[in-house]
Amino acid sequence: MTVETGYPSLSERERQIFDQIEDGRRRGRSTEEVVRGMKMLINDQEILIEIDRVRGQILALGRQNQLLRIPGGMESLAYRATAGEARRHHWYTGPQQNDAVWPAYRRLLLEGGLPAAAVNDLDQATTKIVAYMAPPEVHGLQKKGLVLGYVQSGKTANFTGVIAKAADAGYRLFIVLSGIHNALRQQTQRRLDAQLVQPTRERWHPLTDESSDFGHSAHGDAVLNSPGIRSLAVVKKNPARLRRLVGWLECIPEDIRRRCPAVIIDDESDQASPNTARADWDRTTINKLLVDLRRLLPTSTYVAYTATPFANIFIDPTDEEDLYPEDFIVNLPRPATYFGAETLFGRSPLDQGDEPDDGLDMIRVISDDEAKTLRPPSSAVERDGFTPPVTKSLADAIRWFLLATATRLARGQTHIHSSMLIHTTQYSLVHLRHREQIEAFVREIRPSTEEPSTYREFQRLWEEESGRVPRAAESEAISWNAVADALPGVCDAVDVVADNYLSEDRLSYSDHDEGRVVIAVGGNTLSRGLTLEGLVVSYFVRSASAYDTLLQMGRWFGYRQGYEDLPRVWMTEELADAFGHLATVEAEIRSEIERYEHEDVTPESYAVRVRTHPALLITSRLKQQHVQRIRASYAGRRLQTFAFSHLDREVIDRNLAAALDLVSGALSESVEPEARDTGRFLLREVDVELIRRFLETYSFHESHLDMRNDLIIDYINRRVERADELRMWNLGILGSGRRPHVVGDRTVDLGDLELGLPKPVPLINRAPLKKSGGGDANIKSLMSKPDRVFDLDISRAAATKMSERDLVAARPAGEGLLLLYPISKDSEPMGVSRAAGSRVPLAAAGHLVGVALVFPDVADEWKTSPDEAEYVSVELPGVADHIEEDDIEAEALDTEAEYSDDGRVADGGGHV
């Protein structure tokens, strides 16, 4: 949808009326107040009609901006439905011709080289967010919302645009809460000064600068009482700083604060902001100060930004003062050139029938034995004498970083930053010792043209790595000789920096106009918010126990324009599997937000569900105090097996026997098989008891968290008992309908000739992903769209074109479908996957049986009577039961004792 900004379709006189109304609104008056005032001065009936027409246009345009579907996949939840229409203002009509701050910011982005398409997407995204905010002219109205981005994806650019448009629209005070570390606050301050304040300097009154956080700003009443001035404070979430800000506001008369519309941007809002106090009546220090801050700004909008929203959506929604995003959630899109968890690690298909990419071949595995040598002892006494070595995988990672940087230089990318991250522990003294080891190693491996042998290891690694990830069409192919020529200079330019409070040389790029080549060794300060410019290589063995911690540590996420083929990540196999799971969780949350919009469900009336993991917390237990274990319905869903224990002969034989027992049982009850295609058969009206017996016997892979036997059987039982549904099933056997392309055995027995089913069912070919991991096979996807309507009178061609909604709607009420897929143990990569090298031969211990289940939809069943699965969500008002957590862990970063007044935070070793 394209939404106009500026004037709608109006006559010249109507445009003048439009400008008058907009001018009045930006002076703090509501649309209705301005219109009433204009009508009192006019007797001409024709002009009065035109005033009403313009008023309607303004309201319609504001409503349209809220419903704007943002390009690139950006969605949002519907506007909060409340009884009071006061919260439903459709006030923001988009940028106007007399705006100053947004046009200046937009111009700066374009002149800085950001593509026009990206700037237009940012324009529409920020218009949508501002349209959800409280109208600045309605004094005493507050709102709370959440903007969900991606790690290292450009959230700062987005909230800078939101501030710019809100400043033009009448908001006057802007408070940006920028994480808990000085480095992130200073980085944010620099960007806002350069991109927001300096281009329109005469309109701004800065309350902070790069060198100083919030102090005691004088003349607060005069600052906030100046309609033409916009005030900006970038404040670290530190008790001392926030107390000064709260104290400053308390000294300003309430009527002035009430007339000063304010925006609070909470960057990294899942960190320190949520209340993690154990007692219901208590608040943690930071949370209490943020609640006080909102109380002192009665005309304000609080906008939380994060890439890891788990703590935010688990805030207690019954506590009206707390920060639950009750008014809106906006989901920023994943830009086309963004490297995120899904791009690197791949993910499992969702219920919506999507087909995600396999993930790029950028992950390199650190063995568990090697990881142990890099992790310091837990004992402080033993840790004092610990110096981590440069292991073989770390040596390869450093060499590849030097090679990748040399490749960029050979491609003509001069004056660029190039970075490597080494993250093995949170202990600061260990960082310093490791830095010394790495510096010595870089000096040792520097190649020399006088000694050709010094290039040998570099050339070996270059030949192994250089072709494993496709380069972009515009990236030049570079020869080994060109890279070798640039290597010595790169080695000479490398800085090795330990970034923590003990280090004198912190990571910074501002004083390196010619570009910086840097290896950063660090822990907490590098794990959230801070951008590593030109990050090419990450080496990561730091353990983490929660979703949000892992995702925020993924500094390798972001943009790699011009060197898309060069990034590499070294990590343990366990961590790689965890990131693959998180990519699925992330996609599910965003998909759920989209579904909420379609079903008109809001954050206040239905909470976001989050899939659990058997070994990982979602976030700290103190941030999950208000969650409840919920039930996820299988209504309208399709489930499929894509992971297999392909070397476990016992599991393989048991599953094959279960399939044979199911088919034979159906045939013995005189169910006539229908031959649908070559190698494919359908048995109709199979009794549910046979389905239950099969599900009790078949072994689903442990990674299929939503395909637990007991949960599926329980759901079927409930539908049978409650609605007399799913008593009869259709059973499909989907062998290969094409000439077999696999070697070895080509058929499998799944029935009895005497009972009517031909014995030799042709096996299908499903080669697993190269990065399956864990010794198991992941084929990514088992079924196709036509398979989902295999038992219906719909052609394959027609089914391929059907939308997800159409596929769900096509299934008859109460009628389930179970599909069996006999998979050849000798499956091999075919076509594109063979050419790309993304898949490998299956080489299973026996033929596998894949399973898919397709459930009919049940109107509103997922909202009103869902059935149990492994998801949690926040407990909404009116829901009585919730989890009682016995094992509650302390959250160190959210207690006042962990902060010193200069903003330093205690590290994992207890040092400050």
Side-chain angles (χ1 to χ4, degrees):
M1 178 191 301
T2 300
V3 176
E4 290 184 350
T5 57
Y7 294 117
S9 177
L10 301 174
S11 68
E12 184 62 35
R13 187 160 63 187
E14 287 172 338
R15 290 187 179 188
Q16 293 175 2
I17 296 170
F18 186 97
D19 286 341
Q20 283 185 266
I21 295 175
E22 284 294 301
D23 184 64
R25 281 154 43 101
R26 296 187 182 201
R27 293 176 183 272
R29 301 170 65 195
S30 69
T31 302
E32 301 304 324
E33 288 174 332
V34 178
V35 168
R36 281 197 300 271
M38 293 174 69
K39 286 184 172 182
M40 289 176 62
L41 302 175
I42 296 172
N43 293 321
D44 189 313
Q45 188 64 31
E46 184 178 342
I47 296 178
L48 290 174
I49 292 173
E50 289 178 329
I51 291 174
D52 284 335
R53 180 171 181 268
V54 173
R55 171 188 170 276
Q57 288 269 17
I58 289 174
L59 295 177
L61 188 55
R63 189 179 300 111
Q64 190 177 15
N65 283 335
Q66 286 183 344
L67 298 176
L68 174 65
R69 184 174 297 278
I70 298 166
M74 185 179 298
E75 308 292 343
S76 86
L77 293 180
Y79 196 74
R80 181 190 181 195
T82 63
E85 275 298 304
R87 305 194 69 86
R88 277 190 173 274
H89 290 81
H90 304 297
W91 67 278
Y92 185 61
T93 57
Q96 303 300 311
Q97 290 186 347
N98 59 347
D99 287 350
V101 185
W102 165 254
Y105 178 52
R106 189 178 191 279
R107 186 165 54 250
L108 185 145
L109 293 176
L110 291 170
E111 292 172 353
L114 192 64
V119 175
N120 290 337
D121 285 354
L122 179 66
D123 186 1
Q124 293 196 28
T126 50
T127 288
K128 186 179 185 72
I129 295 166
V130 174
Y132 277 112
M133 292 162 55
E137 71 272 11
V138 181
H139 299 158
L141 178 61
Q142 291 184 318
K143 287 190 178 182
K144 294 178 289 187
L146 171 67
V147 177
L148 173 57
Y150 289 84
V151 176
Q152 299 280 288
S153 67
K155 296 188 299 297
T156 304
N158 185 278
F159 70 65
T160 303
V162 167
I163 292 173
K165 289 185 177 179
D168 285 330
Y171 277 93
R172 302 211 303 268
L173 174 62
F174 300 90
I175 298 169
V176 179
L177 306 171
S178 190
I180 64 172
H181 296 295
N182 283 328
L184 178 56
R185 194 209 74 82
Q186 291 166 348
Q187 183 183 76
T188 304
Q189 181 82 58
R190 281 195 300 271
R191 290 187 62 174
L192 291 176
D193 284 347
Q195 298 181 344
L196 199 66
V197 176
Q198 292 304 325
T200 52
R201 188 67 183 82
E202 71 283 356
R203 296 175 179 266
W204 290 94
H205 178 82
L207 299 172
T208 58
D209 57 38
E210 184 177 350
S211 61
S212 60
D213 204 330
F214 193 86
H216 293 284
S217 181
H219 311 299
D221 51 348
V223 171
L224 299 193
N225 205 24
S226 302
I229 297 298
R230 305 296 182 251
S231 300
L232 173 66
V234 183
V235 184
K236 183 173 59 177
K237 282 188 278 191
N238 170 278
R241 305 292 186 264
L242 290 173
R243 285 196 187 98
R244 291 173 187 170
L245 177 60
V246 168
W248 177 70
L249 288 169
E250 286 176 333
C251 293
I252 300 173
E254 193 274 339
D255 63 317
I256 293 178
R257 287 186 278 108
R258 187 179 185 84
R259 294 198 308 270
C260 180
V263 175
I264 302 170
I265 300 289
D266 190 351
D267 192 18
E268 306 294 342
S269 60
D270 60 310
Q271 188 178 36
S273 299
N275 184 23
T276 56
R278 291 180 172 86
D280 290 340
W281 49 265
D282 198 9
R283 293 194 184 279
T284 46
T285 303
I286 299 294
N287 178 261
K288 182 179 185 302
L289 288 165
L290 296 187
V291 168
D292 289 343
L293 183 62
R294 292 189 65 248
R295 174 180 54 80
L296 291 166
L297 297 169
T299 305
S300 64
T301 298
Y302 169 86
V303 186
Y305 276 77
T306 185
T308 50
F310 311 110
N312 303 79
I313 60 179
F314 290 163
I315 293 172
D316 183 4
T318 66
D319 183 350
E320 294 184 0
E321 291 186 330
D322 215 338
L323 305 176
Y324 181 72
E326 61 189 7
D327 292 300
F328 61 88
I329 299 178
V330 173
N331 174 19
L332 297 180
R334 185 183 68 184
T337 57
Y338 173 73
F339 278 62
E342 181 177 336
T343 309
L344 270 69
F345 299 94
R347 64 168 171 82
S348 304
L350 303 184
D351 301 331
Q352 283 69 23
D354 67 329
E355 296 185 4
D357 293 333
D358 297 342
L360 296 172
D361 187 14
M362 291 182 170
I363 310 303
R364 304 294 172 263
V365 174
I366 303 170
S367 70
D368 291 339
D369 290 340
E370 202 172 7
K372 289 177 184 177
T373 67
L374 291 163
R375 292 182 179 131
S378 56
S379 165
V381 175
E382 295 178 8
R383 195 164 57 244
D384 284 343
F386 176 77
T387 299
V390 176
T391 62
K392 181 183 182 305
S393 64
L394 180 54
D396 277 349
I398 293 171
R399 283 194 178 94
W400 178 251
F401 168 65
L402 300 173
L403 285 166
T405 305
T407 302
R408 295 184 66 191
L409 293 174
R411 286 176 176 171
Q413 299 175 22
T414 57
H415 306 304
I416 47 94
H417 300 305
S418 187
S419 304
M420 175 179 180
L421 166 66
I422 298 176
H423 193 157
T424 61
T425 178
Q426 73 269 34
Y427 297 116
S428 300
L429 287 173
V430 177
H431 298 157
L432 299 180
R433 297 192 190 111
H434 210 184
R435 179 190 64 187
E436 295 173 358
Q437 296 288 97
I438 293 163
E439 284 177 331
F441 179 75
V442 172
R443 289 195 300 270
E444 176 187 329
I445 64 172
R446 182 194 185 281
S448 170
T449 55
E450 298 176 359
E451 296 182 47
S453 61
T454 58
Y455 285 90
R456 187 175 300 125
E457 283 299 304
F458 282 105
Q459 187 170 3
R460 170 193 64 80
L461 190 60
W462 169 261
E463 291 172 352
E464 289 178 4
E465 291 286 346
S466 59
R468 292 181 66 170
V469 179
R471 57 184 172 82
E474 61 272 17
S475 295
E476 182 184 353
I478 299 298
S479 69
W480 160 246
N481 289 336
V483 174
D485 289 344
L487 260 179
V490 171
C491 293
D492 293 338
V494 171
D495 294 324
V496 183
V497 175
D499 192 281
N500 57 48
Y501 76 96
L502 292 177
S503 174
E504 296 180 0
D505 185 17
R506 301 298 290 268
L507 180 62
S508 174
Y509 301 92
S510 58
D511 297 329
H512 298 267
D513 295 336
E514 297 298 310
R516 189 176 195 188
V517 181
V518 60
I519 298 175
V521 183
N524 291 336
T525 60
L526 298 178
S527 67
R528 181 181 278 268
L530 193 65
T531 299
L532 281 81
E533 303 288 350
L535 183 62
V536 182
V537 172
S538 299
Y539 191 88
F540 192 79
V541 296
R542 168 83 178 272
S543 59
S545 60
Y547 291 7
D548 48 7
T549 307
L550 270 177
L551 282 174
Q552 288 291 352
M553 286 180 177
R555 296 292 95 191
W556 49 82
F557 302 143
Y559 302 94
R560 304 292 180 260
Q561 190 169 358
Y563 58 106
E564 298 89 345
D565 56 324
L566 300 179
R568 299 290 187 273
V569 181
W570 271 260
M571 60 171 45
T572 62
E573 191 168 72
E574 180 183 15
L575 280 173
D577 289 343
F579 273 105
H581 172 79
L582 290 182
T584 303
V585 170
E586 191 174 43
E588 273 190 331
I589 289 174
R590 295 173 191 276
S591 176
E592 184 146 300
I593 289 174
E594 182 178 359
R595 183 174 183 180
Y596 288 177
E597 182 176 15
H598 292 323
E599 306 233 359
D600 195 26
V601 184
T602 70
E604 187 185 36
S605 59
Y606 193 81
V608 176
R609 304 174 309 155
V610 182
R611 182 195 292 252
T612 63
H613 185 277
L616 292 172
L617 292 170
I618 295 173
T619 184
S620 75
R621 294 187 186 279
L622 286 173
K623 292 177 180 176
Q624 297 187 72
Q625 294 181 83
H626 304 287
V627 305
Q628 58 179 346
R629 194 168 300 279
I630 63 171
R631 294 170 171 177
S633 170
Y634 290 110
R637 295 180 62 190
R638 59 97 182 188
L639 308 175
Q640 62 173 325
T641 54
F642 53 83
F644 299 89
S645 300
H646 67 305
L647 301 179
D648 189 328
R649 186 74 203 206
E650 181 180 347
V651 169
I652 292 171
D653 289 345
R654 182 166 60 249
N655 286 349
L656 190 59
L660 181 59
D661 182 61
L662 172 60
V663 175
S664 297
L667 291 170
S668 67
E669 293 184 356
S670 301
V671 177
E672 291 291 333
E674 302 175 16
R676 304 288 284 186
D677 295 301
T678 304
R680 296 182 167 217
F681 306 91
L682 176 65
L683 292 83
R684 295 187 182 275
E685 297 187 356
V686 176
D687 189 88
V688 68
E689 187 55 41
L690 291 173
I691 303 296
R692 287 196 192 103
R693 193 165 70 194
F694 170 78
L695 291 172
E696 288 169 353
T697 309
Y698 186 91
S699 293
F700 293 104
H701 192 274
E702 61 184 6
S703 66
H704 293 304
L705 300 181
D706 54 353
M707 294 188 76
R708 275 178 35 188
N709 307 65
D710 57 337
L711 297 181
I712 299 173
I713 293 171
D714 182 59
Y715 176 77
I716 292 172
N717 290 342
R718 288 173 184 270
R719 296 314 304 169
V720 170
E721 294 166 6
R722 291 177 183 174
D724 197 30
E725 296 176 347
L726 300 180
R727 288 190 179 278
M728 292 295 176
W729 286 67
N730 294 333
L731 171 62
I733 303 165
L734 277 68
S736 175
R738 303 177 180 177
R739 182 174 60 85
H741 292 280
V742 294
V743 297
D745 297 337
R746 298 186 176 185
T747 60
V748 66
D749 292 346
L750 282 181
D752 193 316
L753 279 172
E754 295 180 2
L755 296 174
L757 182 70
K759 267 190 178 179
V761 177
L763 295 160
I764 64 173
N765 189 77
R766 291 288 189 275
L769 299 175
K770 187 175 183 179
K771 299 188 301 177
S772 294
D776 295 328
N778 184 338
I779 64 173
K780 192 183 79 167
S781 183
L782 178 68
M783 68 189 310
S784 64
K785 279 187 174 182
D787 294 350
R788 298 174 63 176
V789 291
F790 178 69
D791 55 337
L792 305 180
D793 189 20
I794 300 174
S795 70
R796 292 184 62 83
T800 302
K801 298 177 182 178
M802 292 173 69
S803 67
E804 170 65 19
R805 188 171 297 182
D806 290 340
L807 286 167
V808 172
R811 177 136 307 276
E815 187 175 285
L817 172 66
L818 190 150
L819 303 173
L820 300 176
Y821 295 81
I823 302 171
S824 171
K825 64 183 178 63
D826 302 308
S827 294
E828 293 183 346
M830 304 298 296
V832 175
S833 61
R834 180 169 60 184
S838 60
R839 296 183 180 254
V840 295
L842 179 58
H847 298 312
L848 309 179
V849 177
V851 175
L853 296 114
V854 184
F855 290 93
D857 200 9
V858 180
D860 293 332
E861 194 265 353
W862 75 289
K863 303 178 200 173
T864 57
S865 58
D867 290 271
E868 183 135 23
E870 295 300 308
Y871 287 80
V872 295
S873 75
V874 73
E875 180 189 8
L876 292 167
V879 180
D881 298 326
H882 67 279
I883 294 177
E884 295 294 338
E885 293 285 1
D886 297 323
D887 180 23
I888 298 179
E889 301 173 349
E891 171 113 347
L893 291 178
D894 211 14
T895 58
E896 182 175 6
E898 296 299 319
Y899 291 82
S900 63
D901 190 59
D902 65 354
R904 292 177 295 164
V905 183
D907 73 356
H911 306 98
V912 174

